[in-house]
């Protein structure tokens, strides 16, 4: 079975996330998409997040009707030697994608194929991730393309040791980010045709300003946000 790991802060999950996962599932014949709320994403350590339990609950509501979408506890808070040491220093341990991918792979069957599902905005930072090269060796990527980005932009975002030379990527600077990039140690499939400008930031802002959420989130998620009084205070 083809399986995707879709990580994010999901604070909250929104229609852009769900549309991306559905498009990827259709295009790449994914039998499961695991939505993995990050415990503390390394790149967002300064931004206070809603508690993991709220973000997970909203994912569970948003995916309840989709039999192939699974809210995942792979990065659920748990007491480990590392996290308790980190607590002493008062800095919680970050969650690294490489560890999450390896943990998920331990549960898969030999014939399963794992893909890492990600938006192009997040992919542009992938070279800075912990053990980025190893992550590319562990699984293929499905990257949701965005208008205005070129194939060269995607290739130039790869970790330095996997990145083609500037001379090799230059001819692709005017070619839209579609198709596949297959290099030694790298498989990137680009998923185009998606253009949802919705973001979790915009939703938190709308709730704070008492604006209607419309179709930006599923009705069940909107009801949960209201019931729990999320995003009422500025962050
Ligand atoms: P925030 O506004 O808080 O930064 P976000 O809306 O970008 O959040 P994340 O949880 O950070 O949501 O994103 C998880 C993943 O979903 C990332 O890979 C991101 O690129 C992708 N993503 C987020 N919004 C969209 C969208 N509108 N269309 C396609 N992909 C998206």
């Amino acid at each position: 079975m083809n399986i995707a790991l879709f990580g994010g802060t999901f604070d909250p999950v929104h229609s852009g996330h769900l549309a991306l996962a559905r498009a990827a599932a259709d295009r790449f014949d994914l039998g499961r998409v695991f939505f993995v709320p990050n415990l503390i994403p390394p790149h967002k350590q300064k931004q206070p997040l809603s508690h993991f339990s709220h973000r997970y609950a909203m994912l569970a509501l948003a995916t309840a009707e989709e039999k192939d979408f699974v809210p995942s506890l792979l990065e659920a808070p748990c007491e480990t030697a590392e996290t308790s040491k980190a607590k002493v220093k008062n800095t919680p341990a970050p969650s690294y994608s490489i560890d999450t991918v390896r943990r998920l792979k331990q549960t898969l069957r030999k014939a399963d194929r794992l893909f890492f599902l990600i938006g192009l905005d997040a992919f542009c930072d992938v070279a800075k991730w912990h053990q980025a090269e190893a992550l590319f060796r562990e699984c293929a990527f499905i990257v949701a393309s965005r208008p205005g980005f070129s194939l060269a932009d995607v290739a130039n975002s790869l970790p330095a040791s996997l990145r083609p030379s500037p001379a090799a990527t230059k001819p692709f600077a005017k070619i839209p980010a579609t198709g596949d990039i297959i290099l030694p140690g790298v498989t990137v499939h680009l998923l185009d045709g998606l253009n949802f400008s919705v973001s979790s930031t915009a939703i938190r802002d709308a709730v704070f300003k008492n604006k209607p959420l419309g179709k930006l989130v599923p009705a069940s998620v909107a009801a949960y946000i209201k019931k729990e009084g999320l995003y009422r205070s500025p962050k």
Side-chain angles (χ1 to χ4, degrees), residues 119-174:
L120 187 47
D121 56 331
F123 185 81
C124 285
D125 280 334
V126 77
K128 294 185 216 142
W129 290 13
H130 182 62
Q131 293 190 28
E133 289 90 350
L135 185 60
F136 279 88
R137 275 196 303 275
E138 290 285 354
C139 55
F141 276 66
I142 299 172
V143 180
S145 185
R146 286 214 169 174
F149 283 83
S150 70
L151 264 184
D153 293 329
V154 180
N156 290 333
S157 302
L158 292 169
S161 65
L162 301 174
R163 193 182 304 156
S165 69
T169 58
K170 203 169 168 208
F172 299 97
K174 292 215 166 89

Side-chain angles (χ1 to χ4, degrees), residues 79-214:
E79 191 80 357
T80 64
E82 202 185 334
T83 55
S84 64
K85 218 189 314 157
K87 268 189 212 150
V88 172
K89 286 189 277 164
N90 209 16
T91 48
S95 42
Y96 293 119
S97 297
I98 183 71
D99 300 328
T100 309
V101 161
R102 286 181 175 153
R103 217 172 302 140
L104 176 58
K105 279 181 96 173
Q106 281 170 8
T107 69
L108 303 184
R109 289 170 307 180
K110 246 197 170 138
D112 292 335
R113 234 180 119 204
L114 182 64
F115 296 85
F116 196 94
L117 180 56
I118 186 169
L120 187 47
D121 56 331
F123 185 81
C124 285
D125 280 334
V126 77
K128 294 185 216 142
W129 290 13
H130 182 62
Q131 293 190 28
E133 289 90 350
L135 185 60
F136 279 88
R137 275 196 303 275
E138 290 285 354
C139 55
F141 276 66
I142 299 172
V143 180
S145 185
R146 286 214 169 174
F149 283 83
S150 70
L151 264 184
D153 293 329
V154 180
N156 290 333
S157 302
L158 292 169
S161 65
L162 301 174
R163 193 182 304 156
S165 69
T169 58
K170 203 169 168 208
F172 299 97
K174 292 215 166 89
I175 298 181
T178 59
D180 304 313
I181 296 181
I182 317 277
L183 296 165
V186 175
T187 303
V188 174
H189 304 290
L190 287 150
L191 178 63
D192 54 348
L194 283 163
N195 193 12
F196 292 90
S197 55
V198 52
S199 70
S200 300
T201 304
I203 290 160
R204 295 192 299 270
D205 193 52
V207 174
F208 180 63
K209 292 181 178 148
N210 243 327
K211 289 187 184 158
L213 294 183

Side-chain angles (χ1 to χ4, degrees), residues 7 13 23-24 38 42 47 53 56 66 68 71 76 93 114 119 132 146 166 188 198-199 201 205 214 226:
V13 60
N38 302 139
Q47 175 194 318
S53 56
Y56 178 81
E66 315 285 338
D68 47 349
L114 182 64
R146 286 214 169 174
V188 174
V198 52
S199 70
T201 304
D205 193 52
K226 193 168 178 202

